[in-house]
Amino acid sequence: MGAFWPFEPEEWIEMLRYTLMRLGIFAGCLVVVWGLVYSGLAPRGLGSSNGLWIVMLALLLSAPISFVVLRKERDRASVQIAQRVDRMKANMEANRSQEDAADDTSRAQGQTQAS
C-alpha cells in the first residue's frame, strides 16, 4: 500500500477480524462473570475492588476460551505475518545486494581514478 502503511489489506482484515473476535469473547465472559458475581454465585471483590475483580475473572476465563476457539483464526493470522516477514527479509536482502554492488562500483571507479 505504501511506505507508511505496514500491512497489506488482507493482513489488516485478518488481524482486525481476530482482534474483534477476541474482544467479543472477552465481552461475553465479562457479562457472564458480572452476572455470576451480582447473583452471588461467584465471590465479590474486597471493598471497592469489585469492578477490577470482575474484569480480572473475565480475562482469566476468556484467555483459554480464545486459545481453543480461535485456533484457526490465529493460525491464519500467523501465516499472514510469517509471509510478511519473509517478504521484508527478501526486500532487505535485495536492498543490501544493491548497496553492495553500488559500493563495489564506486570503489572500482575510485581505484581507476587514483591510478
Side-chain angles (χ1 to χ4, degrees):
M1 262 198 136
F4 298 109
W5 186 252
F7 298 108
E8 295 294 324
E10 301 85 28
E11 295 169 346
W12 186 82
I13 291 170
E14 287 294 326
M15 293 305 295
L16 179 65
R17 183 175 175 196
Y18 175 74
T19 301
L20 290 175
M21 292 174 82
R22 185 101 194 254
L23 285 172
I25 290 173
F26 171 72
C29 288
L30 187 64
V31 168
V32 168
V33 169
W34 179 81
L36 290 174
V37 167
Y38 281 99
S39 68
L41 295 173
R44 289 181 174 258
L46 298 175
S48 63
S49 68
N50 199 40
L52 182 62
W53 172 251
I54 292 172
V55 170
M56 294 302 289
L57 281 177
L59 281 171
L60 188 66
L61 287 175
S62 70
I65 292 171
S66 294
F67 184 74
V68 172
V69 173
L70 299 180
R71 177 170 286 152
K72 288 181 184 177
E73 294 298 322
R74 189 176 53 252
D75 290 344
R76 199 175 318 166
S78 69
V79 166
Q80 294 280 338
I81 290 170
Q83 289 172 349
R84 182 169 187 272
V85 167
D86 290 341
R87 279 194 317 266
M88 289 178 69
K89 283 181 181 178
N91 288 341
M92 288 176 62
E93 185 59 37
N95 288 342
R96 186 177 303 131
S97 63
Q98 285 178 351
E99 289 174 2
D100 289 345
D103 188 42
D104 292 343
T105 302
S106 67
R107 286 180 191 221
Q109 288 175 354
Q111 287 177 355
T112 58
Q113 289 177 357
S115 299

